[in-house]
Amino acid sequence: MVVLAAAPLRETCARPRIEAAVAMKSRPAGGTRTAAAGGSETLVGGGLPPTPLSGLVARLVMSLALAVMIGMATPMLELARPAVAAAVAVLVAIAAACSFVVQLRARARQQECDRAIEALARHLRLPQLTRRACRASRWRDGWVGVPDRVVWQYGPGAPNTDSEWLTELVDVTGRRFGGRYEVAQQKPRQRRVYLVRDLSPASASAGDRRVKAFSRQIFGAGSKVAVELDDDGEIAAFEVRDIDAVKFSDRITQSRAERKVSNLMPDRFRAKFDVVRAQVRFERRPTFPESVWIPVVDIDTSLDVLQSYDQVEIQYAVDEDRNILAWSPAIQPNLMLIGTPGTGKTVTAHTLLVQASRYGWPIWVVDGKSIEFLGFQDWPNVQIVATTTAEQVAVIERAHALMEYRYQLITKGTVTENNFEPLLLFLDEWADFRANLLDWYADVKPGGRGSSKPRALSMAASIARKGRSSRVHLVFGTQRPDAEYFTGDMRDNFPLKISMGRLTPQAAMMAWESPVIGTTIPRKRRGRATTVDHEGMPIEAQCYRTPDPRKVADESFEAELLDKLRPAEVKHPRLLIVPPELDPANADRDDDFVYADYASASWVLASSRPDLDPVAQRRCDPVDGRTLSSPLTMLGLGGDAGESREGTDATPSTPPSAGASSMPSAPRAGADDVDDAPFTTVDDGYDDADEVHVGEVKIGDLVLVDDALEHWAVVVDVGDDLIEPDCVAISWRDDHDGDGELTVSTDDIVIVRKPSKEPLDA
């Protein structure tokens, strides 16, 4: 039940109360016409006449006179002894006094009711003043006391279905009688409203009373609230019944009510609306962990990949309730991973790779930055990590060829889809790979009528469209969903998306077809992402943290975790791609190699060509990394510099050159592009601060919450305040996962920073 406090919760933009006492004048014959709220007219008398005190005094005097007469007449008539007569007279006098006191208190209580009737006459739309309009009973707490039950009779024109009308009725009743009331029942046919007094003990927490008060203001005076406390006596949850189901039927209004309640409570709460039952339940929202290490899940490795294919669930994150979110490739064939540097995108990609390898899946990796997956070159079941452009082209070409080959087998009726071992293909940092590929293609493009673009680009899109039936699954990683390749057709081929960190409204529109989803993620919470739940609805999640084998220290927690995650059995051997110029089959060839030569390069087992195996070379040829990476070595001056250092193991005499690489490659990723880059600052992606009218504030803008602290936060929602009707509520969320609400007048000016309107495909 809703406790209705006499005073409003806020002073800002407070709604003027309807209470207006009728002037205490003598009532003219027939009453007078007065304009009521809403424009209708009601007939209201001048005031209720007070109960005369003279009648009570006269009855008291008569009772006392009777007592005296009894005392005097009894001895004269010799009906009793004098002592008995005196006692009878005293009892009569006491009875008379008690009767007078009782009637005097009844008169005082009636006066309280009269004042309440006069104050609410217009609000109740009474045709005339009558004491039948209010019935108060069960008085307690004091000589006059406060009634526990008040029944109001309203006029035919009263808007009894209006929540504000009921709120005003309860407010004025509480102020007039000095208690807190709530609507217990309403009988429209009899035009009656039954109010009951809240009898919660005075020791009830202020938070309990506050919840009931603002719930009435948000959901209507007729709503009822039941509060649940935890072991510490704090509010853990509360349920509001008899809400306006029509008003709160849409998701936008429900979200605003949820944020309003959270902003009025010391903790964040979430809402679960049941519009059918006209009720809502609020529960304390759990906090997201700042980091969650990848769990070591028990997997039945005795099952063959064909047997376990339909049951594979690659866990990658948890939601706020710690529910595990997983990717089921048999249902969602492809996954798109979106995120700028520093958001945790590469770490999440490592999580997907490690989890898939434990199921015994063969994995091919196209490492667009050339350095993000180096630590997994010797990871069990990772067959190849392509780090050069030529290798990456060969991987895409062979994955596409495998897909087409399997389609041919299906067409011939030789096999069915159930005979195919799954293959997981990672295309990471697509924008970098695409740029490098176009630059490289200019050097290896065949003459004549060769294609203007490398066919690897169209093959990647083809794998996204057709890979499911051939069980060639794709994990597509990119920093932003560029419009050039993220069309509707491409988007539909990725039923599961994970967008890391905060998106701009433009990027959110491309990724989620909504300018709102994913735009309020705290920027200083690495690994926080937007994804979908098991019902396909976008939710916020915390992605698992997986160590990079290349960066962990020996005997550290990360090293121990990787040992537990490492598959015990290698089911798929490592592979190498033989560069055309190093292939013995091309020993007699004099002409330059073109795109097709690299695309169709030979593949061999890594164990058969240790001279081409980067893992074997790193193990056999330790070098002084500091000297090798110095500018002097790069400039060809490394010999002298290396001799001046003590303890160097090896110093190359000549620097690497573009022609020294066995396969052409031009990676463009800089040091500041790696996933360990610092978090983006508040200035990234937004225009300069500007003063705008509150009506121009949009979701996704940055709003200045506190000028003195330079506290900026992203706007989560903008809409009419649910408590203050003449105000606008701006809900916000900052980079530290804090949230709140600004309540401003509809004419106010606020300081915001709009998202930059730079084209996504720039």
Side-chain angles (χ1 to χ4, degrees), residues 128 130 164 252 356 395 491 557 748:
Q128 61 182 4
T130 173
E164 291 190 3
I252 295 177
V395 169
R491 180 170 48 236
F557 166 79
D748 277 354

Side-chain angles (χ1 to χ4, degrees), residues 184-376:
Q185 187 181 13
Q186 186 176 177
K187 295 182 178 180
R189 291 186 178 182
Q190 301 176 12
R191 299 199 301 275
R192 290 179 182 174
V193 178
Y194 294 79
L195 306 183
V196 294
R197 184 182 172 196
D198 175 46
L199 298 178
S200 300
S203 59
S205 68
D208 188 3
R209 295 192 296 270
R210 181 177 176 81
V211 165
K212 294 180 178 180
F214 68 63
S215 295
R216 179 261 305 170
Q217 290 185 295
I218 296 174
F219 299 104
S223 58
K224 303 176 180 63
V225 180
V227 178
E228 299 176 13
L229 304 179
D230 58 18
D231 295 337
D232 298 326
E234 300 295 333
I235 297 176
F238 61 94
E239 189 172 279
V240 186
R241 297 182 296 274
D242 296 339
I243 66 174
D244 188 342
V246 176
K247 179 180 179 181
F248 293 95
S249 60
D250 64 281
R251 181 56 187 164
I252 295 177
T253 307
Q254 292 176 3
S255 298
R256 288 175 179 171
E258 180 181 80
R259 284 189 289 269
K260 173 63 71 175
V261 169
S262 291
N263 292 327
L264 293 173
M265 296 291 292
D267 298 317
R268 294 177 63 190
F269 278 72
R270 61 184 177 186
K272 296 181 180 179
F273 280 83
D274 187 343
V275 179
V276 176
R277 293 185 174 88
Q279 63 186 31
V280 56
R281 178 177 175 81
F282 287 90
E283 298 175 345
R284 187 184 297 158
R285 185 184 294 275
T287 57
F288 269 109
E290 293 189 8
S291 178
V292 181
W293 287 104
I294 179 175
V296 182
V297 182
D298 292 333
I299 296 176
D300 188 357
T301 57
S302 63
L303 294 177
D304 185 74
V305 291
L306 298 183
Q307 294 176 296
S308 63
Y309 175 76
D310 291 333
Q311 289 77 40
V312 168
E313 291 187 346
I314 299 175
Q315 301 179 7
Y316 63 89
V318 294
D319 64 12
E320 63 180 358
D321 292 315
R322 305 301 193 273
N323 294 320
I324 296 174
L325 302 176
W327 174 35
S328 300
I331 301 174
Q332 304 157 311
N334 303 318
L335 183 150
M336 175 166 285
L337 189 57
I338 305 167
T340 56
T343 58
K345 177 175 65 68
T346 298
V347 175
T348 302
H350 292 172
T351 297
L352 298 171
L353 182 147
V354 169
Q355 298 283 46
S357 70
R358 301 186 69 221
Y359 280 101
W361 283 29
I363 299 171
W364 296 0
V365 179
V366 173
D367 190 349
K369 284 187 176 179
S370 304
I371 61 173
E372 302 289 15
F373 289 84
L374 289 179
F376 293 96

